Short mmCIF file of all heavy atoms in Angstrom, two decimals:
data_model
loop_
_atom_site.label_atom_id
_atom_site.label_comp_id
_atom_site.label_asym_id
_atom_site.label_seq_id
_atom_site.Cartn_x
_atom_site.Cartn_y
_atom_site.Cartn_z
N TYR A 1 97.90 82.27 115.09
CA TYR A 1 98.48 83.54 115.50
C TYR A 1 97.87 84.66 114.67
O TYR A 1 97.61 84.49 113.47
CB TYR A 1 100.00 83.56 115.31
CG TYR A 1 100.74 82.52 116.09
CD1 TYR A 1 101.12 81.32 115.49
CD2 TYR A 1 101.07 82.72 117.43
CE1 TYR A 1 101.81 80.35 116.21
CE2 TYR A 1 101.76 81.76 118.14
CZ TYR A 1 102.12 80.58 117.53
OH TYR A 1 102.81 79.62 118.25
N MET A 2 97.68 85.79 115.29
CA MET A 2 97.33 87.01 114.59
C MET A 2 98.22 88.12 115.11
O MET A 2 98.73 88.05 116.23
CB MET A 2 95.86 87.38 114.76
CG MET A 2 94.91 86.37 114.14
SD MET A 2 93.19 86.92 114.10
CE MET A 2 93.28 88.23 112.87
N GLY A 3 98.42 89.13 114.29
CA GLY A 3 99.30 90.19 114.73
C GLY A 3 99.17 91.45 113.92
O GLY A 3 98.41 91.52 112.94
N TRP A 4 99.91 92.45 114.36
CA TRP A 4 99.99 93.73 113.69
C TRP A 4 101.41 93.99 113.23
O TRP A 4 102.37 93.80 114.00
CB TRP A 4 99.54 94.86 114.62
CG TRP A 4 98.09 94.82 114.96
CD1 TRP A 4 97.50 94.22 116.04
CD2 TRP A 4 97.02 95.43 114.22
NE1 TRP A 4 96.14 94.41 116.02
CE2 TRP A 4 95.82 95.15 114.91
CE3 TRP A 4 96.97 96.18 113.05
CZ2 TRP A 4 94.58 95.59 114.46
CZ3 TRP A 4 95.74 96.62 112.60
CH2 TRP A 4 94.56 96.32 113.31
N PHE A 5 101.55 94.41 112.00
CA PHE A 5 102.81 94.84 111.42
C PHE A 5 102.62 96.26 110.91
O PHE A 5 101.49 96.71 110.72
CB PHE A 5 103.22 93.91 110.27
CG PHE A 5 103.57 92.51 110.69
CD1 PHE A 5 102.59 91.63 111.12
CD2 PHE A 5 104.89 92.07 110.65
CE1 PHE A 5 102.91 90.34 111.50
CE2 PHE A 5 105.22 90.78 111.03
CZ PHE A 5 104.23 89.91 111.46
N ARG A 6 103.71 96.96 110.69
CA ARG A 6 103.60 98.32 110.17
C ARG A 6 104.71 98.60 109.17
O ARG A 6 105.76 97.97 109.20
CB ARG A 6 103.63 99.35 111.30
CG ARG A 6 104.98 99.48 112.01
CD ARG A 6 104.85 100.39 113.22
NE ARG A 6 106.14 100.66 113.84
CZ ARG A 6 106.29 101.31 114.98
NH1 ARG A 6 105.23 101.78 115.63
NH2 ARG A 6 107.51 101.51 115.48
N GLN A 7 104.45 99.56 108.30
CA GLN A 7 105.43 99.95 107.30
C GLN A 7 105.40 101.46 107.14
O GLN A 7 104.38 102.03 106.78
CB GLN A 7 105.17 99.27 105.96
CG GLN A 7 106.25 99.52 104.93
CD GLN A 7 106.11 98.61 103.72
OE1 GLN A 7 105.04 98.09 103.44
NE2 GLN A 7 107.21 98.41 103.01
N ALA A 8 106.53 102.09 107.42
CA ALA A 8 106.69 103.53 107.25
C ALA A 8 107.30 103.82 105.89
O ALA A 8 107.95 102.95 105.30
CB ALA A 8 107.56 104.09 108.36
N PRO A 9 107.11 105.03 105.37
CA PRO A 9 107.70 105.37 104.08
C PRO A 9 109.21 105.15 104.05
O PRO A 9 109.92 105.58 104.96
CB PRO A 9 107.36 106.85 103.92
CG PRO A 9 106.11 107.03 104.73
CD PRO A 9 106.30 106.12 105.91
N GLY A 10 109.69 104.46 103.03
CA GLY A 10 111.11 104.21 102.88
C GLY A 10 111.66 103.11 103.75
O GLY A 10 112.87 102.87 103.75
N LYS A 11 110.81 102.42 104.50
CA LYS A 11 111.26 101.36 105.38
C LYS A 11 110.55 100.05 105.05
O LYS A 11 109.49 100.04 104.43
CB LYS A 11 111.01 101.72 106.84
CG LYS A 11 111.78 102.92 107.34
CD LYS A 11 111.54 103.15 108.82
CE LYS A 11 112.36 104.32 109.34
NZ LYS A 11 112.13 104.53 110.80
N GLU A 12 111.15 98.95 105.49
CA GLU A 12 110.54 97.65 105.31
C GLU A 12 109.45 97.42 106.36
O GLU A 12 109.44 98.05 107.42
CB GLU A 12 111.59 96.54 105.40
CG GLU A 12 112.64 96.59 104.30
CD GLU A 12 113.60 95.44 104.37
OE1 GLU A 12 113.53 94.65 105.33
OE2 GLU A 12 114.44 95.31 103.46
N ARG A 13 108.55 96.51 106.05
CA ARG A 13 107.52 96.17 107.00
C ARG A 13 108.14 95.53 108.25
O ARG A 13 109.07 94.73 108.15
CB ARG A 13 106.53 95.20 106.36
CG ARG A 13 105.35 94.81 107.23
CD ARG A 13 104.37 93.94 106.45
NE ARG A 13 103.73 94.68 105.37
CZ ARG A 13 102.93 94.13 104.47
NH1 ARG A 13 102.68 92.83 104.50
NH2 ARG A 13 102.38 94.88 103.52
N GLU A 14 107.64 95.91 109.43
CA GLU A 14 108.17 95.40 110.67
C GLU A 14 107.07 94.94 111.61
O GLU A 14 105.94 95.44 111.56
CB GLU A 14 109.04 96.46 111.37
CG GLU A 14 108.28 97.70 111.80
CD GLU A 14 109.18 98.74 112.44
OE1 GLU A 14 110.40 98.53 112.53
OE2 GLU A 14 108.65 99.80 112.85
N PHE A 15 107.42 94.02 112.47
CA PHE A 15 106.48 93.47 113.44
C PHE A 15 106.21 94.46 114.56
O PHE A 15 107.11 95.16 115.01
CB PHE A 15 107.05 92.17 114.01
CG PHE A 15 106.28 91.61 115.17
CD1 PHE A 15 105.09 90.93 114.97
CD2 PHE A 15 106.75 91.75 116.47
CE1 PHE A 15 104.38 90.41 116.02
CE2 PHE A 15 106.05 91.23 117.54
CZ PHE A 15 104.86 90.56 117.31
N VAL A 16 104.96 94.49 115.02
CA VAL A 16 104.57 95.35 116.13
C VAL A 16 104.12 94.53 117.33
O VAL A 16 104.67 94.66 118.43
CB VAL A 16 103.44 96.32 115.72
CG1 VAL A 16 103.00 97.16 116.92
CG2 VAL A 16 103.90 97.21 114.58
N ALA A 17 103.13 93.68 117.15
CA ALA A 17 102.58 92.89 118.25
C ALA A 17 101.87 91.66 117.70
O ALA A 17 101.29 91.71 116.62
CB ALA A 17 101.62 93.72 119.09
N GLY A 18 101.88 90.57 118.48
CA GLY A 18 101.21 89.35 118.07
C GLY A 18 100.46 88.72 119.23
O GLY A 18 100.78 88.96 120.40
N ILE A 19 99.48 87.88 118.90
CA ILE A 19 98.70 87.19 119.91
C ILE A 19 98.38 85.79 119.40
O ILE A 19 98.04 85.59 118.23
CB ILE A 19 97.42 87.98 120.26
CG1 ILE A 19 96.70 87.35 121.45
CG2 ILE A 19 96.49 88.12 119.06
CD1 ILE A 19 95.65 88.27 122.07
N SER A 20 98.49 84.79 120.27
CA SER A 20 98.22 83.40 119.91
C SER A 20 96.77 83.05 120.18
O SER A 20 96.02 83.81 120.80
CB SER A 20 99.14 82.47 120.69
OG SER A 20 98.82 82.47 122.07
N TRP A 21 96.38 81.87 119.73
CA TRP A 21 94.99 81.44 119.88
C TRP A 21 94.57 81.36 121.34
O TRP A 21 93.38 81.55 121.64
CB TRP A 21 94.80 80.08 119.21
CG TRP A 21 95.55 78.97 119.88
CD1 TRP A 21 96.83 78.57 119.64
CD2 TRP A 21 95.06 78.12 120.92
NE1 TRP A 21 97.18 77.53 120.46
CE2 TRP A 21 96.11 77.22 121.25
CE3 TRP A 21 93.84 78.01 121.59
CZ2 TRP A 21 95.97 76.25 122.24
CZ3 TRP A 21 93.70 77.04 122.58
CH2 TRP A 21 94.76 76.18 122.88
N ASN A 22 95.52 81.07 122.24
CA ASN A 22 95.19 80.95 123.66
C ASN A 22 95.49 82.21 124.45
O ASN A 22 95.46 82.19 125.68
CB ASN A 22 95.91 79.75 124.26
CG ASN A 22 97.42 79.91 124.27
OD1 ASN A 22 97.97 80.81 123.65
ND2 ASN A 22 98.10 79.02 124.98
N GLY A 23 95.81 83.30 123.77
CA GLY A 23 95.96 84.58 124.43
C GLY A 23 97.38 85.01 124.75
O GLY A 23 97.56 86.09 125.34
N GLY A 24 98.39 84.22 124.40
CA GLY A 24 99.75 84.64 124.61
C GLY A 24 100.08 85.84 123.73
O GLY A 24 99.62 85.93 122.60
N VAL A 25 100.89 86.76 124.25
CA VAL A 25 101.21 87.98 123.52
C VAL A 25 102.72 88.17 123.41
O VAL A 25 103.50 87.63 124.20
CB VAL A 25 100.58 89.23 124.18
CG1 VAL A 25 99.07 89.12 124.17
CG2 VAL A 25 101.09 89.39 125.62
N TYR A 26 103.12 88.94 122.41
CA TYR A 26 104.53 89.22 122.14
C TYR A 26 104.61 90.57 121.47
O TYR A 26 103.85 90.86 120.55
CB TYR A 26 105.12 88.12 121.26
CG TYR A 26 106.60 88.24 121.02
CD1 TYR A 26 107.51 87.97 122.04
CD2 TYR A 26 107.10 88.58 119.77
CE1 TYR A 26 108.87 88.05 121.81
CE2 TYR A 26 108.46 88.67 119.53
CZ TYR A 26 109.35 88.40 120.56
OH TYR A 26 110.69 88.49 120.33
N TYR A 27 105.57 91.40 121.91
CA TYR A 27 105.69 92.76 121.41
C TYR A 27 107.09 93.06 120.92
O TYR A 27 108.08 92.54 121.47
CB TYR A 27 105.34 93.77 122.50
CG TYR A 27 103.94 93.68 123.03
CD1 TYR A 27 103.66 92.97 124.20
CD2 TYR A 27 102.88 94.31 122.38
CE1 TYR A 27 102.38 92.89 124.70
CE2 TYR A 27 101.59 94.23 122.88
CZ TYR A 27 101.35 93.52 124.03
OH TYR A 27 100.07 93.45 124.53
N ALA A 28 107.16 93.92 119.92
CA ALA A 28 108.44 94.50 119.56
C ALA A 28 108.94 95.37 120.70
O ALA A 28 108.15 95.99 121.42
CB ALA A 28 108.31 95.33 118.28
N ASP A 29 110.26 95.41 120.88
CA ASP A 29 110.83 96.14 122.01
C ASP A 29 110.41 97.61 122.03
O ASP A 29 110.19 98.19 123.11
CB ASP A 29 112.36 96.05 121.98
CG ASP A 29 112.87 94.68 122.38
OD1 ASP A 29 112.11 93.91 123.01
OD2 ASP A 29 114.03 94.37 122.06
N TYR A 30 110.29 98.21 120.88
CA TYR A 30 110.04 99.64 120.83
C TYR A 30 108.60 100.03 121.15
O TYR A 30 108.29 101.22 121.22
CB TYR A 30 110.45 100.21 119.46
CG TYR A 30 109.99 99.40 118.28
CD1 TYR A 30 108.72 99.55 117.75
CD2 TYR A 30 110.86 98.48 117.67
CE1 TYR A 30 108.30 98.81 116.66
CE2 TYR A 30 110.45 97.73 116.58
CZ TYR A 30 109.16 97.90 116.09
OH TYR A 30 108.75 97.17 115.00
N VAL A 31 107.71 99.04 121.35
CA VAL A 31 106.33 99.36 121.74
C VAL A 31 105.95 98.79 123.10
O VAL A 31 104.85 99.06 123.58
CB VAL A 31 105.31 98.90 120.68
CG1 VAL A 31 105.64 99.50 119.33
CG2 VAL A 31 105.25 97.38 120.61
N LYS A 32 106.84 98.04 123.74
CA LYS A 32 106.54 97.47 125.05
C LYS A 32 106.23 98.57 126.06
O LYS A 32 106.93 99.56 126.15
CB LYS A 32 107.72 96.62 125.54
CG LYS A 32 107.88 95.30 124.82
CD LYS A 32 109.05 94.50 125.38
CE LYS A 32 109.18 93.16 124.69
NZ LYS A 32 110.35 92.40 125.19
N GLY A 33 105.16 98.36 126.81
CA GLY A 33 104.74 99.34 127.79
C GLY A 33 103.85 100.42 127.23
O GLY A 33 103.28 101.21 128.00
N ARG A 34 103.72 100.50 125.92
CA ARG A 34 102.89 101.52 125.29
C ARG A 34 101.70 100.92 124.53
O ARG A 34 100.62 101.50 124.53
CB ARG A 34 103.71 102.37 124.32
CG ARG A 34 104.85 103.14 124.99
CD ARG A 34 105.46 104.16 124.04
NE ARG A 34 106.05 103.53 122.86
CZ ARG A 34 105.71 103.81 121.59
NH1 ARG A 34 104.78 104.73 121.35
NH2 ARG A 34 106.31 103.21 120.58
N PHE A 35 101.92 99.78 123.87
CA PHE A 35 100.87 99.15 123.06
C PHE A 35 100.37 97.88 123.74
O PHE A 35 101.13 97.17 124.41
CB PHE A 35 101.41 98.78 121.68
CG PHE A 35 101.75 99.94 120.78
CD1 PHE A 35 101.76 101.24 121.23
CD2 PHE A 35 102.07 99.70 119.45
CE1 PHE A 35 102.08 102.30 120.40
CE2 PHE A 35 102.39 100.75 118.60
CZ PHE A 35 102.40 102.04 119.07
N THR A 36 99.10 97.56 123.53
CA THR A 36 98.51 96.35 124.05
C THR A 36 97.67 95.68 122.96
O THR A 36 96.79 96.31 122.38
CB THR A 36 97.62 96.63 125.26
OG1 THR A 36 98.38 97.28 126.28
CG2 THR A 36 97.05 95.33 125.82
N ILE A 37 97.95 94.40 122.70
CA ILE A 37 97.16 93.64 121.74
C ILE A 37 96.17 92.77 122.50
O ILE A 37 96.48 92.22 123.56
CB ILE A 37 98.06 92.79 120.82
CG1 ILE A 37 97.23 92.16 119.68
CG2 ILE A 37 98.82 91.74 121.59
CD1 ILE A 37 98.08 91.51 118.59
N SER A 38 94.97 92.64 121.97
CA SER A 38 93.94 91.83 122.60
C SER A 38 93.01 91.29 121.53
O SER A 38 93.10 91.68 120.37
CB SER A 38 93.16 92.65 123.64
OG SER A 38 92.50 93.74 123.04
N LYS A 39 92.11 90.40 121.92
CA LYS A 39 91.18 89.83 120.97
C LYS A 39 89.83 89.56 121.60
O LYS A 39 89.72 89.41 122.81
CB LYS A 39 91.74 88.54 120.36
CG LYS A 39 92.01 87.42 121.36
CD LYS A 39 92.63 86.22 120.66
CE LYS A 39 93.02 85.13 121.65
NZ LYS A 39 91.81 84.50 122.25
N ASP A 40 88.81 89.51 120.76
CA ASP A 40 87.45 89.20 121.16
C ASP A 40 86.99 88.09 120.22
O ASP A 40 86.60 88.37 119.09
CB ASP A 40 86.56 90.42 121.08
CG ASP A 40 85.14 90.16 121.57
OD1 ASP A 40 84.74 88.99 121.67
OD2 ASP A 40 84.43 91.14 121.86
N ASN A 41 87.06 86.86 120.68
CA ASN A 41 86.72 85.73 119.82
C ASN A 41 85.25 85.76 119.37
O ASN A 41 84.94 85.34 118.26
CB ASN A 41 87.01 84.41 120.53
CG ASN A 41 88.49 84.14 120.67
OD1 ASN A 41 89.31 84.72 119.97
ND2 ASN A 41 88.84 83.24 121.58
N ALA A 42 84.37 86.24 120.22
CA ALA A 42 82.96 86.29 119.87
C ALA A 42 82.71 87.20 118.68
O ALA A 42 81.77 86.98 117.91
CB ALA A 42 82.14 86.74 121.07
N ARG A 43 83.53 88.23 118.54
CA ARG A 43 83.39 89.16 117.43
C ARG A 43 84.42 88.93 116.32
O ARG A 43 84.44 89.69 115.35
CB ARG A 43 83.49 90.59 117.93
CG ARG A 43 82.38 90.99 118.91
CD ARG A 43 82.47 92.44 119.31
NE ARG A 43 81.39 92.83 120.19
CZ ARG A 43 81.20 94.06 120.65
NH1 ARG A 43 82.04 95.03 120.30
NH2 ARG A 43 80.18 94.32 121.46
#
């Protein structure tokens, strides 16, 4: 799995989006419909 997390000033680190080795994706509710995670295995 690989993913993106974020941390704002004064807040704890939180999950944003993740992607599995076979391309499955999962998003935090507050970014669904706005953010897209993807990967390029060759790079």
Side-chain angles (χ1 to χ4, degrees):
Y1 300 97
M2 295 189 70
W4 292 92
F5 293 71
R6 69 187 186 187
Q7 186 168 22
K11 296 184 178 180
E12 296 184 355
R13 183 176 293 174
E14 63 182 2
F15 171 77
V16 177
I19 188 165
S20 68
W21 66 272
N22 65 349
V25 298
Y26 185 71
Y27 299 96
D29 287 341
Y30 46 83
V31 304
K32 287 181 178 178
R34 299 190 298 123
F35 292 9
T36 302
I37 189 170
S38 61
K39 61 183 175 69
D40 184 342
N41 289 341
R43 298 184 178 183

